[in-house]
Amino acid sequence: MQTAMGSSLIADLNPLKAAYQALQWMKNGLALAHKNSAAQVKKTLFPQYPPLSVHSLEPETLSYLQQRYQALLDQDWADANAGVYPVELLFDTPWHEVLQFYPKVWLDLPDTWRRAHSKNYQEFSEEVDTSGYPNYYLQNFHYQTNGYLSDTSAQLYDLQVEILFGGMADPMRRRILPLLQQGLAQMGVQTMRSPKILDMACGTGRTLSHLRATWPQAQLFGVDLSPAYLQKAKSLLQEQAGKMPELQQANVESLPYASDSFDAVTSVFLFHELPAAARQNAINDCFRVLKPGGVLIICDSIQLSDSSQLAPMMSNFDLYFHEPYYKHYIQDDLTQRLENAGFESVATEVHFLSKYWSARKPELNSDAASELPPMAAI
C-alpha cells in the first residue's frame, strides 16, 4: 500500500484530525518499510528459502486498498469526534513497547521463515506446557515461536499485528464500539451506563482497554486460553486508570459463567482461528451467557463474499501465515451460525480488511416469563 496521504487529509483544516491521520499514515509507511526490508533480508541471508507463490496485487487493487484505508481513518475520527469513544484512543500507541520489542521481532523472523519453509507449524519448546489445550489451539499461528503459549509471543503480538495491518489494528478493533453503543442503548439507559461486558479471547487486553475508556463504569470481564497473554493483558490494564477487568483462563467453547449473565459479549480476531465446530460452539455459549436482549459483537477478517477484488489478498494471507482454519472461515456463513444459535437482528458491516456482526439474544416474552418460577422472573 502506498503511503501518500489521501485528499481528505490534505484538505482537512482540523489540526487534531490531521495529526491523527498523519500518525496513521506514518505507521503505514513504517509497516511497509519493515515488510520490504524483511523480504530483502530473507532473500539475501536465506536463499535456501524460496519466495512463496503468492498472487500479485494489481495497481487497481492497491488503489482500492488505499481508499478503504482512508475511509476507515475518516470513520474512526468521525466517531471519536462525535463522542462515541474518547479522542485520546486515537493516539494510544505504546511507543515504549514498539522500541523495546521491535528488535525481538527481527530475532524471531529466521525461525518464522524456517517453519514456513518446512511447513512445521506445531513446534513448541520443551519448557512450554501444552497439556490441557484443544488440539486446534496447539499451532504456531502466523508461524510465530511457541504459538500463543509463551511470554515472548505475548510481548510481540500487538506489534506484529500492527505491522501486518499497516497500523490499522486498533482502528479496526474500535469499529465494535459504535455497534456496541447502539446495542446497549436498546437495552436501556441504566444498563448502558454500567454494562456487564465479556471480551472473548481477550489476548493482550487491547479491546478491553478500549471498552474501559468508553464505558468507565462498566463491569468488564476477559477470557483467553493463554496464560502468557492474560498476564500481558493484566500488565497493560494495570498501567491504565479505571476499574480492573476480571481476567480468567477459559475456553470460549465453554465459558465459566452462569447463563443470562452479560449485557454484551465482544470478540475481536477470534473466529478465523477456530475450526468450524468450535466456531458454532463458541457462538452457542455466547447465546447462553447473554441476558435476554443482550448483544454479541464480532470483529474478524473480511470474507470472500465481501470483496471479490480482495480475494487474491485473502489467498495470500493463507500462504504467508499459518492460519489452518482461515480458508474455511472466509467461506463460512456466520450469520447462519448466529441464527442457528437463536440470535436475531443479525447485521453485518465491512471496514477496510475486517467484517463485523452484531446480533441480539431475543427478549424474554411475557408468555415465557409467566412460566418461570417467581424468583427467576424478577
Side-chain angles (χ1 to χ4, degrees), residues 59-368:
E60 295 81 4
T61 301
L62 295 174
S63 177
Y64 178 55
L65 269 175
Q66 190 175 16
Q67 293 170 19
R68 291 171 70 105
Y69 189 102
Q70 183 62 53
L72 177 52
L73 291 185
D74 291 339
Q75 188 63 59
D76 196 27
W77 165 259
D79 283 335
N81 193 50
V84 176
Y85 41 85
V87 172
E88 289 80 7
L89 282 182
L90 305 184
F91 298 92
D92 180 26
T93 300
W95 291 110
H96 63 289
E97 290 200 354
V98 173
L99 295 174
Q100 180 180 358
F101 297 128
Y102 183 63
K104 291 187 178 181
V105 171
W106 278 99
L107 291 174
D108 193 47
L109 276 176
D111 280 339
T112 299
W113 294 330
R114 174 182 56 79
R115 288 188 202 93
H117 177 66
S118 63
K119 300 188 183 301
N120 184 4
Y121 41 77
Q122 291 180 311
E123 176 184 270
F124 291 88
S125 303
E126 291 184 0
E127 62 269 19
V128 174
D129 183 4
T130 59
S131 61
Y133 296 99
N135 288 334
Y136 64 76
Y137 192 71
L138 297 178
Q139 309 280 343
N140 298 116
F141 290 102
H142 311 165
Y143 293 111
Q144 64 186 9
T145 302
N146 291 320
Y148 290 141
L149 295 179
S150 75
D151 293 337
T152 299
S153 170
Q155 291 169 350
L156 301 185
Y157 176 81
D158 286 328
L159 179 53
Q160 290 171 326
V161 171
E162 283 297 304
I163 292 171
L164 170 64
F165 289 126
M168 294 295 269
D170 276 347
M172 287 193 290
R173 286 187 184 101
R174 283 193 289 271
R175 288 297 84 222
I176 72 168
L177 300 178
L179 295 173
L180 187 54
Q181 184 187 66
Q182 294 165 17
L184 291 173
Q186 295 179 25
M187 298 182 69
V189 175
Q190 186 58 41
T191 298
M192 185 179 174
R193 286 176 181 164
S194 183
K196 187 175 180 182
I197 304 172
L198 169 66
D199 187 37
M200 294 200 310
C202 64
T204 63
R206 291 296 293 175
T207 301
L208 281 170
S209 70
H210 294 175
L211 291 169
R212 185 168 61 176
T214 306
W215 288 277
Q217 304 304 316
Q219 304 173 68
L220 296 178
F221 297 76
V223 297
D224 201 277
L225 263 177
S226 170
Y229 277 66
L230 286 169
Q231 184 58 46
K232 174 65 176 176
K234 181 179 178 181
S235 298
L236 168 71
L237 295 164
Q238 284 179 334
E239 292 175 356
Q240 302 170 348
K243 182 180 178 181
M244 185 68 186
E246 182 179 303
L247 304 176
Q248 189 169 350
Q249 184 181 11
N251 189 328
V252 296
E253 295 184 76
S254 183
L255 296 166
Y257 304 106
S259 300
D260 305 335
S261 295
F262 293 95
D263 298 303
V265 176
T266 59
S267 167
V268 177
F269 303 147
L270 163 67
F271 280 85
H272 72 279
E273 293 189 342
L274 294 177
R279 262 177 243 144
Q280 188 66 60
N281 290 340
I283 289 172
N284 292 348
D285 220 37
C286 284
F287 186 87
R288 179 185 65 80
V289 301
L290 278 169
K291 298 175 184 178
V295 292
L296 170 63
I297 309 295
I298 297 172
C299 161
D300 216 298
S301 167
I302 56 171
Q303 298 181 297
L304 289 173
S305 59
D306 302 315
S307 176
S308 59
Q309 195 167 352
L310 295 182
M313 173 171 279
M314 286 180 251
S315 296
N316 288 348
F317 182 75
D318 184 54
L319 294 171
Y320 276 121
F321 303 96
H322 176 58
E323 291 285 4
Y325 317 112
Y326 185 76
K327 278 186 177 179
H328 185 277
Y329 162 81
I330 59 176
Q331 302 177 70
D332 199 7
D333 188 346
L334 260 65
T335 296
Q336 186 62 58
R337 291 190 181 279
L338 290 163
E339 292 175 346
N340 288 346
F343 284 100
E344 63 182 15
S345 304
V346 180
T348 62
E349 295 182 2
V350 175
H351 299 277
F352 188 42
L353 298 177
S354 286
K355 184 171 184 175
Y356 304 80
W357 289 261
S358 59
R360 182 173 298 281
K361 182 173 180 176
E363 294 277 4
L364 195 63
N365 62 51
S366 57
D367 291 337

